Amino acid sequence: MQLEDVKIYEYDAVIVGAGLAGLAAARELKEAGKKVAVITKLHPLRSHSGAAQGGINAALGEDDSVELHMFDTVKGSDYLGDQDAIELMCSKAPETIRWIERMGAVFSRDEKGRIAIRPFGGQSRPRACYAADRTGLTLLQTIYEQAYRAGIEVFDEWYCADLLYENGKAKGVAAYNIRTSEPAIFNAKVTMFATGGYGRAYKINSNAHANTGDALSIFARRGLPLEDMEFVQFHPSGLGGSGILISEAARGEGGRLYNSEGERFMKRYAPNAMELASRDVVSRAIMEEIRQGRGVGPNKDAVYIDLTHLPKETILTKLPELRDLALTFLGQDMLKEPIMIAATAHYSMGGIPVNIRTQVKSSPTELVEGLYAAGECSCVSVHGANRLGANSVLDALFFGRVAGESMVEDIDKIELERATKEDARPMIEKVNWTKSNNGNERVPQLRAELQESMMMNAGVFRTEESLLKQKEKLKELYQRYKNIRIDDKSNTFNTDLQEAIELGHMIDFSLFIVEGALKRKESRGAHYREDFPKRDDENFLKHTYAKFNGEFDLDIEYGDVVITKYEPTERKY
């Protein structure tokens, strides 16, 4: 890859990521007459937004309200969520549903012809609007169809390798065509990242192979902070052994959890909400049963979810994909028998810090000009320390729209700072080094060690000892990564190259997870320290902001949590 081969494209706006958040933002920009490019390493319809199964929250029920949705979200966040952002999202949720429905999204219906809703964990009322158990795919297909119809320019199978950022201002990205290795700069007045989560850092996870957290490392290496990275959600119901997701809809429709002794064990952990307690509570309960020797399966590393008491028609119409997944990957038919599940790394509450308008922060109080983020890669902090089920699709769709509206509002006030080919030098040097490096370390081996150690030492249960052990492991992997070698030196669909670059990103952001967890000497939401099992509002009711300091060390500072209506109280289910 040579500097002289770099092409420079100019746009009003460039968006990295083509899931719900990225396409929602692109649509707002296009409708305002702006020239926008969307860059994605996958075809948009393979974005991980399409994997959301169970629903999207909105207070549409007769006995529901925005206030209840807001309170459930604040409580679910273990009071770390910013309440101004939560109130905005919850108040706009019904409008967001109507917006996507008018675009053509086909929701399931109740007997009166209204959008069907189902209960989800941590909710005081049923409010997850759903399209059978393929909600995310329905919404993604709808918004992509409308983006295509509007003529939005999508560069699919392009890999974004760098952010063009200096002096507090962004001016686009450097990327290369995965099919040909053609390098390019996408120069723009405003830049948005909507690249999804980072669950692939863990061995057992529900994430697509593309969810390698690239944007997080790219931002961090540019000296920008990441927020609340220690909060990684483990979903209670991944298929035993693989972690492939079995939606919370299975529990929402009435699934019951049993251990090897035939005990419906949630009565000991959440006697009121039972299986519909929040995800962190149910995940810890499942893993504790396994730790106590009450697991099921050949390795005793799962529990059962039983849906055999449900009418056959309920499973076939409301949960058809879940049944297919269990049949395909476990050989178990939920119509006839319980299926094996265990906790699986699922969602990232932390990420790129943004304000309520999705503008990226360079510190708890300062903003970057022309830079935005939305969806799972961002942290506007509507989820705090733990996300409620069916709030992620709402977050992506709503704040994707907000990002688009914010960029439309700001774009004419921002001067285009023209890029030169020289701006692509860091990307080209990284690619060329990765191809030519002739060490003796292999990417798959390093990645396996990263995923296994993160699962073991920085997973559902954490201690100072395990986190310190993991920090040393990450430093070892970081040094060994300098000695990698890939076999494919070609320019055509070089997946060896892409996986090697992605591994570097994964090692980088894993340090943020571990260091944030070490410093947070309390348990809150998805972050559970066995050596500090209580929540400590006096010392840790605050957001973590971490930045690289030197080559592979971090500086951490803290920012305030926005509290408006609900003072922190003990969280019980």
Side-chain angles (χ1 to χ4, degrees), residues 450-461:
L450 170 69
Q451 292 170 326
E452 287 169 10
S453 60
M454 286 294 289
M455 199 80 197
M456 183 72 65
N457 298 322
V460 176
F461 299 107

Side-chain angles (χ1 to χ4, degrees), residues 203-234:
K203 182 180 180 182
I204 303 296
N205 69 83
S206 67
N207 282 203
H209 285 275
N211 285 28
T212 51
D214 308 339
L216 304 170
S217 171
I218 287 169
F219 273 60
R221 287 294 174 198
R222 284 293 185 177
L224 292 166
L226 300 178
E227 180 179 359
D228 290 345
M229 289 289 288
E230 60 267 38
F231 296 107
V232 179
Q233 181 171 85
F234 285 77

